[in-house]
Short mmCIF file of all heavy atoms in Angstrom, two decimals:
data_model
loop_
_atom_site.label_atom_id
_atom_site.label_comp_id
_atom_site.label_asym_id
_atom_site.label_seq_id
_atom_site.Cartn_x
_atom_site.Cartn_y
_atom_site.Cartn_z
N GLY J 38 -165.43 -6.19 67.24
CA GLY J 38 -166.18 -6.69 68.38
C GLY J 38 -165.81 -8.10 68.80
O GLY J 38 -166.39 -8.63 69.74
N VAL J 39 -164.86 -8.73 68.12
CA VAL J 39 -164.51 -10.09 68.52
C VAL J 39 -163.43 -10.05 69.60
O VAL J 39 -162.47 -9.32 69.49
CB VAL J 39 -163.98 -10.88 67.31
CG1 VAL J 39 -163.62 -12.28 67.71
CG2 VAL J 39 -165.01 -10.88 66.20
N ALA J 40 -163.64 -10.81 70.64
CA ALA J 40 -162.72 -10.76 71.77
C ALA J 40 -161.38 -11.44 71.45
O ALA J 40 -161.23 -12.05 70.41
CB ALA J 40 -163.37 -11.43 72.97
N ASP J 41 -160.45 -11.35 72.37
CA ASP J 41 -159.10 -11.89 72.20
C ASP J 41 -159.12 -13.31 71.65
O ASP J 41 -159.87 -14.15 72.13
CB ASP J 41 -158.40 -11.95 73.56
CG ASP J 41 -158.06 -10.56 74.04
OD1 ASP J 41 -158.38 -9.61 73.33
OD2 ASP J 41 -157.51 -10.45 75.14
N GLU J 42 -158.28 -13.56 70.69
CA GLU J 42 -158.23 -14.90 70.13
C GLU J 42 -156.81 -15.41 70.14
O GLU J 42 -155.87 -14.63 70.07
CB GLU J 42 -158.72 -14.87 68.69
CG GLU J 42 -160.19 -14.57 68.58
CD GLU J 42 -160.60 -14.41 67.13
OE1 GLU J 42 -159.73 -14.17 66.29
OE2 GLU J 42 -161.79 -14.53 66.87
N SER J 43 -156.67 -16.71 70.16
CA SER J 43 -155.33 -17.25 70.07
C SER J 43 -154.84 -17.05 68.64
O SER J 43 -155.63 -16.96 67.72
CB SER J 43 -155.35 -18.72 70.45
OG SER J 43 -155.78 -19.49 69.36
N PRO J 44 -153.52 -17.00 68.45
CA PRO J 44 -152.95 -16.67 67.14
C PRO J 44 -153.49 -17.54 66.00
O PRO J 44 -153.78 -17.03 64.93
CB PRO J 44 -151.46 -16.92 67.33
CG PRO J 44 -151.22 -16.73 68.76
CD PRO J 44 -152.46 -17.17 69.46
N ASN J 45 -153.61 -18.85 66.23
CA ASN J 45 -154.08 -19.70 65.14
C ASN J 45 -155.48 -19.33 64.71
O ASN J 45 -155.81 -19.32 63.52
CB ASN J 45 -154.07 -21.17 65.59
CG ASN J 45 -152.69 -21.76 65.48
OD1 ASN J 45 -151.72 -21.04 65.36
ND2 ASN J 45 -152.60 -23.07 65.50
N MET J 46 -156.32 -18.99 65.68
CA MET J 46 -157.71 -18.66 65.38
C MET J 46 -157.81 -17.45 64.47
O MET J 46 -158.69 -17.37 63.62
CB MET J 46 -158.48 -18.39 66.67
CG MET J 46 -158.86 -19.64 67.40
SD MET J 46 -159.82 -20.73 66.34
CE MET J 46 -160.26 -21.97 67.50
N ILE J 47 -156.90 -16.51 64.66
CA ILE J 47 -156.94 -15.31 63.83
C ILE J 47 -156.77 -15.68 62.37
O ILE J 47 -157.49 -15.19 61.49
CB ILE J 47 -155.83 -14.33 64.25
CG1 ILE J 47 -156.10 -13.84 65.66
CG2 ILE J 47 -155.73 -13.17 63.29
CD1 ILE J 47 -155.08 -12.87 66.16
N VAL J 48 -155.83 -16.58 62.11
CA VAL J 48 -155.59 -17.00 60.72
C VAL J 48 -156.78 -17.78 60.20
O VAL J 48 -157.22 -17.57 59.07
CB VAL J 48 -154.32 -17.89 60.65
CG1 VAL J 48 -154.00 -18.21 59.22
CG2 VAL J 48 -153.15 -17.18 61.29
N TYR J 49 -157.30 -18.68 61.02
CA TYR J 49 -158.46 -19.47 60.58
C TYR J 49 -159.61 -18.56 60.22
O TYR J 49 -160.29 -18.74 59.21
CB TYR J 49 -158.90 -20.44 61.68
CG TYR J 49 -157.91 -21.54 61.98
CD1 TYR J 49 -157.81 -22.08 63.25
CD2 TYR J 49 -157.07 -22.05 61.00
CE1 TYR J 49 -156.91 -23.09 63.54
CE2 TYR J 49 -156.16 -23.05 61.29
CZ TYR J 49 -156.08 -23.57 62.56
OH TYR J 49 -155.19 -24.55 62.83
N ARG J 50 -159.84 -17.54 61.07
CA ARG J 50 -160.95 -16.63 60.81
C ARG J 50 -160.77 -15.95 59.46
O ARG J 50 -161.71 -15.81 58.68
CB ARG J 50 -161.04 -15.62 61.95
CG ARG J 50 -162.20 -14.67 61.82
CD ARG J 50 -162.54 -14.04 63.15
NE ARG J 50 -161.41 -13.36 63.77
CZ ARG J 50 -161.08 -12.09 63.55
NH1 ARG J 50 -161.80 -11.37 62.72
NH2 ARG J 50 -160.05 -11.58 64.16
N LYS J 51 -159.53 -15.52 59.17
CA LYS J 51 -159.29 -14.83 57.90
C LYS J 51 -159.54 -15.77 56.74
O LYS J 51 -160.17 -15.40 55.74
CB LYS J 51 -157.84 -14.33 57.84
CG LYS J 51 -157.59 -13.16 58.75
CD LYS J 51 -156.22 -12.56 58.50
CE LYS J 51 -155.93 -11.53 59.58
NZ LYS J 51 -154.52 -11.33 59.81
#
Side-chain angles (χ1 to χ4, degrees):
Chain J
V39 180
D41 289 0
E42 292 174 340
S43 81
N45 279 16
M46 283 303 187
I47 295 181
V48 186
Y49 293 150
R50 183 160 55 88
K51 288 189 189 154

